[in-house]
Amino acid sequence: MIDIRLIRENPDLVRENIRKKFQDAKLPLVDEVIELDKANRAAINEASNLRAERNALSKKIGMLMGQAKKDPSKLEEAEAVKAQVTAQAARLAELEKQEEELEAKIHKIMLTIPQIIDPSVPLGPDDSCNVEVQRFGEAVVPDFPIPYHTEIMERFDGIDLDAARRVSGNGFYYLMGDIARLHEAVLAYARDFMIDQKGFTYVIPPFMMHGNVVKGVMSFPEMEAMMYKIEGEDLYLIGTSEHTMIGRFIDQIIPESKLPLTLTSYSPCFRKEVGSHGLEERGVYRIHQFEKQEMIVVCKPEDSNDWYEKLWHYSVELFRNLEIPVRQLICCSGDLADLKVKSCDIEAWSPRQKKYFEVCSCSNLGDAQARRLNIKVRGEDGKLYLAHTLNNTCIAPPRMLIAFLENHLQADGSVTIPKCLQPYMGGKEVLVPKH
């Protein structure tokens, strides 16, 4: 969500940004906002003038009533002024209702106009135009066949999708034994990596949130494609802990001295996965339920670009510690959600598919979420300004287990455990399949 002053002062910039995001159908919205804003400001000005006149007339009535004690003829004049005030009150009520309606229309449209993207964002209509920047670690294809990830898990008696379908339908899973322990081990390691090595504060947030928070942290298309609503209640299941972590600061004023807020949070995540990607029925790549360790930063505007660079580098470092090759992919303009200034994916190497796939997503949202949620900072000079917010996936199993198992699979079917993870696996250096 952008500042309406930008539309007033530089509508061409807003239009050009819409074109860069290949959302030309939204171009008429700029002129619509301009006209609605003009009407709203005219109503505000008229109402302000009426209030000033009413105050002056109210004083005049008091003066006339005082004079009427000596001169009864002043009562008639006072009554005439009262009638004028009554007429103004009726018009003022009309204007206030008009303001309310116009502001609601403006706000609804403003929620759909995309954030101004960073100049560094490559232009393109969809994710096929995302740009690889660099790779980390050697992408190796072993000289033995690598089975599909669920087949690897089944060798360890580690997954039961059939039972999950009977209980919950497609998009769910039972993890068991060493695979379940591995799932929890990577989450625990990622948590401690962020706390002990990066100095972030650990948080376990609410896993549900009110509708006003949903609208504050994401765009309408994201909301429709992702969010589960609790029937009969103003509650939604979170799609990621970023939602309630940022929502925590709704309508708050944060002292500048407390910035940056660097937080890492654990949560289960629930997603409908409506749209072009859909579910993966065979495996655990795209599912309705998963778990995630997240990174969140709330900072001063001038610091957000530096934090963006730090956050995605943390993801790379974490995956390299797990001995998984990765690459950084810059998201193009058409692949950016409307609230994002810029974003990149960290993708892990899949030896089986001989390609990379997304395991982390790092985003700078500028002041978009802060504007929607009214998150402000009080500077040292006492002035208020909007915070900037960023988020990044730390680790999100079970999807990332696909990369882990494929990259650590040995010819005999065993799976090696990197040193950093061994303390979380009871000291095991290797997992041996049961069949």
Side-chain angles (χ1 to χ4, degrees), residues 346-398:
I346 301 302
E347 297 190 330
W349 173 246
S350 167
R352 186 186 71 84
Q353 300 180 82
K354 301 179 179 62
K355 67 176 186 179
Y356 292 85
F357 66 89
E358 180 194 336
V359 289
C360 300
S361 179
C362 180
S363 300
N364 184 348
L365 293 104
D367 62 9
Q369 291 177 325
R371 189 178 305 281
R372 288 177 174 225
L373 293 171
N374 191 34
I375 304 171
K376 293 180 179 177
V377 179
R378 189 180 301 280
E380 293 181 1
D381 58 2
K383 294 180 180 179
L384 298 178
Y385 60 88
L386 292 171
H388 274 205
T389 62
L390 302 95
N391 65 78
N392 183 30
T393 312
C394 188
I395 212 157

Side-chain angles (χ1 to χ4, degrees), residues 156-355:
F156 293 88
D157 289 339
I159 190 168
D160 190 342
L161 293 177
D162 290 336
R165 289 190 192 98
R166 291 193 300 270
V167 171
S168 307
N170 288 326
F172 298 91
Y173 52 86
Y174 284 97
L175 297 184
M176 302 166 294
D178 284 340
I179 300 301
R181 189 174 189 180
L182 182 63
H183 178 282
E184 294 306 297
V186 295
L187 283 168
Y189 171 68
R191 175 201 64 207
D192 292 348
F193 173 83
M194 293 307 301
I195 297 170
D196 299 331
Q197 297 188 39
K198 303 307 173 188
F200 279 47
T201 299
Y202 184 50
V203 180
I204 298 177
F207 302 154
M208 297 183 190
M209 59 183 167
H210 291 313
N212 64 322
V213 178
V214 178
K215 293 173 184 176
V217 295
M218 60 173 31
S219 64
F220 289 124
E222 289 177 298
M223 182 177 172
E224 289 299 314
M226 181 187 299
M227 304 304 294
Y228 282 107
K229 174 117 176 31
I230 305 301
E231 187 175 355
E233 297 190 52
D234 179 27
L235 284 173
Y236 292 77
L237 293 174
I238 62 172
T240 167
S241 62
E242 168 213 338
H243 298 156
T244 45
M245 290 292 288
I246 298 299
R248 175 186 173 194
F249 302 103
I250 185 171
D251 294 327
Q252 298 299 299
I253 296 175
I254 305 169
E256 190 178 70
S257 60
K258 291 189 175 181
L259 298 183
L261 299 173
T262 55
L263 311 168
T264 183
S265 51
Y266 160 82
S267 77
C269 306
F270 306 94
R271 300 187 180 185
K272 291 192 295 188
E273 294 293 1
V274 174
S276 59
H277 294 295
L279 290 172
E280 183 193 27
E281 293 188 16
R282 268 189 76 200
V284 296
Y285 181 78
R286 196 176 300 281
I287 46 186
H288 287 312
Q289 170 192 316
F290 60 96
E291 295 176 51
K292 181 159 63 156
Q293 190 71 31
E294 184 83 357
M295 313 177 201
I296 300 292
V297 171
V298 181
C299 66
K300 295 188 288 186
E302 60 267 30
D303 295 337
S304 64
N305 277 331
D306 287 343
W307 274 111
Y308 173 80
E309 293 296 320
K310 289 178 183 178
L311 292 183
W312 73 257
H313 274 99
Y314 292 165
S315 291
V316 171
E317 183 180 348
L318 176 64
F319 273 81
R320 292 305 298 130
N321 289 349
L322 294 172
E323 299 173 14
I324 298 173
V326 293
R327 71 172 181 174
Q328 184 202 19
L329 201 67
I330 302 296
C331 297
C332 73
S333 57
D335 193 34
L336 284 181
D338 283 352
L339 274 67
K340 295 181 179 181
V341 174
K342 61 179 177 179
S343 184
C344 71
D345 292 338
I346 301 302
E347 297 190 330
W349 173 246
S350 167
R352 186 186 71 84
Q353 300 180 82
K354 301 179 179 62
K355 67 176 186 179

